[in-house]
Amino acid sequence: AYDDAVLQTYKQGVLWAGVGKSPNPLNVFGTWLVALGLSSKEVGSLNTLEERRSRLKGLIGTKKALIILDDIWGHQTFQQFV
């Protein structure tokens, strides 16, 4: 994912999360929001998954970013992230 060709294609960057058996989308979205430039204080004020998901969608918008959810264990887990 950090190959030069990939980074040239996805100029806004790569957002990567290891999900595993015990996913925590609230934390994953928080980490990604900080990576996209929000302060920890701003992220802390977004208390629900829906608030963080909405803010994340707003920040990414139509930009070219690669989002990787590694180690998804099932469809229900995936659905928490979309």
Side-chain angles (χ1 to χ4, degrees):
Y2 295 104
D3 179 83
D4 286 338
V6 171
L7 295 175
Q8 286 298 319
T9 302
Y10 300 99
K11 296 188 183 291
Q12 302 312 127
V14 176
L15 300 173
W16 188 309
V19 178
K21 289 183 180 180
S22 301
N24 190 333
L26 194 67
N27 284 349
V28 169
F29 288 170
T31 299
W32 287 352
L33 288 166
V34 169
L36 291 169
L38 260 63
S39 71
S40 295
K41 184 177 180 178
E42 289 174 295
V43 172
S45 72
L46 303 171
N47 297 314
T48 69
L49 186 58
E50 188 53 44
E51 288 175 322
R52 290 187 183 190
R53 180 185 291 119
S54 177
R55 188 73 167 115
L56 188 60
K57 286 180 179 181
L59 286 173
I60 293 173
T62 59
K63 298 175 184 169
K64 284 188 144 188
L66 177 60
I67 298 174
I68 299 170
L69 295 169
D70 191 19
D71 199 21
I72 293 278
W73 280 69
H75 182 72
Q76 286 183 335
T77 300
F78 174 75
Q79 286 300 113
Q80 295 178 55
F81 289 91
V82 294

